[in-house]
Amino acid sequence: MRRFLRENALTLFFLGILVLALIGQAFSGWSLYNDEQLAQAGAEVSLWRYLTSSSFAVDVAENWQSEYLQFFLYIFVTVWLVQRGSPESKEPGEEGLESDRAQKVGPHAADDSPRWAPIKGLRGALFSRSLGLAMGGIFLLSWLAQSLAGRAAYNAEQLASYQDPLSWTGYVTSADFWNRTTQNWQSEFLAVASMAALSIYLRQRGSPESKPVGAPDEATGIEG
């Protein structure tokens, strides 16, 4: 067990604080939701009812979709675009998919390579892009969940105000949906741009996201 915890500590740490953050969001969101209910002469709801409501679901989904969009774009864009001096980038001149030899695929696969690495054709092509496709798929599913939960929450407010509800297509083209979406996207894009640029000049000793402390600023694609 100790070995398992040590070898998976990074994933387990972030899953742990994810749970803590969700618990914090659940209780703070529940309190805020009930305050709004009382302000509108409505009835308070239980914690369980709030957790199964569209209001909670849309708040979670809109954050998840923006995070997975960030990773999806970053994985694919870094194939073709570089940032000189950033450990997050390949060296200038190495843009592209790289050779089979460099990627250890097909006849260049090693004995310990994943079993799909030597395979050519559709399976090999899918496996060689599986990380980005997985992130893109989770993004689309999260975005769909946001649209469905957001529509339900929006229509509940519309009906409470004696206004007509919107269809799904009407909601995904509405200002409410795109306001929720873009306010998350801009923060993710800023964070990625900041990481790529600041890591040129700043260091974090011992982190694989940083260059070695003594590495020159123009050094690209090396990790500490």
Side-chain angles (χ1 to χ4, degrees):
M1 176 60 72
R2 181 178 295 179
R3 180 179 178 182
F4 173 82
L5 293 175
R6 180 181 180 183
E7 294 180 350
N8 298 278
L10 186 60
T11 299
L12 293 173
F13 171 77
F14 279 100
L15 288 176
I17 61 175
L18 165 65
V19 172
L20 292 176
L22 282 172
I23 291 173
Q25 179 183 350
F27 279 98
S28 59
W30 177 44
S31 177
L32 179 62
Y33 184 84
N34 279 335
D35 287 345
E36 292 174 350
Q37 286 289 98
L38 293 175
Q40 298 172 8
E44 292 184 303
V45 301
S46 66
L47 176 61
W48 175 251
R49 184 175 176 185
Y50 173 69
L51 292 178
T52 56
S53 71
S54 57
S55 294
F56 180 72
V58 69
D59 288 342
V60 172
E62 72 184 37
N63 284 288
W64 287 17
Q65 60 88 3
S66 64
E67 294 293 341
Y68 280 102
L69 175 63
Q70 173 194 147
F71 284 118
F72 167 71
L73 289 176
Y74 196 69
I75 289 166
F76 276 105
V77 167
T78 51
V79 175
W80 303 101
L81 303 181
V82 298
Q83 174 60 60
R84 184 177 179 85
S86 175
E88 302 292 318
S89 168
K90 295 190 289 188
E91 285 277 4
E94 295 182 358
E95 299 90 337
L97 299 176
E98 302 178 2
S99 66
D100 287 356
R101 181 183 296 276
Q103 288 291 312
K104 296 183 178 181
V105 296
H108 305 287
D111 292 338
D112 58 353
S113 295
R115 62 187 182 91
W116 278 26
I119 300 173
K120 289 188 173 292
L122 180 59
R123 282 192 297 169
L126 288 175
F127 180 68
S128 66
R129 296 164 177 81
S130 56
L131 180 60
L133 291 174
M135 294 296 180
I138 297 172
F139 158 66
L140 291 176
L141 290 174
S142 301
W143 205 17
L144 175 62
Q146 177 196 337
S147 71
L148 296 173
R151 173 180 175 253
Y154 183 82
N155 282 343
E157 295 178 359
Q158 289 288 97
L159 292 172
S161 303
Y162 303 101
Q163 300 182 55
D164 294 333
L166 293 179
S167 65
W168 181 80
T169 53
Y171 178 70
V172 296
T173 57
S174 70
D176 183 82
F177 177 75
W178 285 103
N179 178 59
R180 285 180 173 272
T181 296
T182 53
Q183 68 179 326
N184 284 279
W185 286 4
Q186 51 87 14
S187 61
E188 304 301 336
F189 300 154
L190 175 62
V192 173
S194 299
M195 183 64 182
L198 293 177
S199 61
I200 299 172
Y201 306 104
L202 306 180
R203 308 288 190 270
Q204 181 60 52
R205 183 168 182 161
S207 174
E209 300 303 312
S210 167
K211 292 181 287 192
V213 176
D217 288 344
E218 64 269 19
T220 308
I222 61 172
E223 299 174 343

